[in-house]
Amino acid sequence: MATLGAVLSRYFLRGMVRVQEQAGVQEQGARLRPFPNEDIYFHVKWIDNSRVARAADPAAGRTAWKTAGSVAAAAVLIIFV
């Protein structure tokens, strides 16, 4: 099944070829202006975190239990109301 772009490109590409022939253009394709900052090179530095150990946080467990308790209390309150 043909798409609209494929069907219409037959007609428009023929017209482009005729215009290029009349203008004496030999190139096939469009010339683009350069992209901004294309001369900048970003170096990617790979970091190996395999030897890094996570520090234990004793307050994290207490905070998680408080959060879970408050969410459960809020759910009970909403259901009750």
Side-chain angles (χ1 to χ4, degrees), residues 6-7 10 13 17 20 24-28 32-33 36 42-43 45 47 51 53 59 61 63 65 80:
V7 171
R10 283 188 270 168
L13 288 179
V17 170
Q20 286 178 353
V25 177
Q26 300 295 327
E27 293 182 18
Q28 293 291 342
L32 298 174
R33 59 184 183 179
F42 292 102
H43 175 72
K45 181 179 179 182
I47 300 173
R51 295 182 292 159
T63 305
W65 280 109
F80 182 70

Side-chain angles (χ1 to χ4, degrees), residues 13 16 19 21 24-25 28 35 37 46-47 56-57 60 64 66 69 76 78-79 81:
L13 288 179
M16 282 179 36
V19 169
E21 288 174 354
V25 177
Q28 293 291 342
F35 290 111
N37 300 327
W46 297 102
I47 300 173
D57 186 9
K66 283 183 181 180
V76 168
I78 289 173
I79 290 171
V81 169

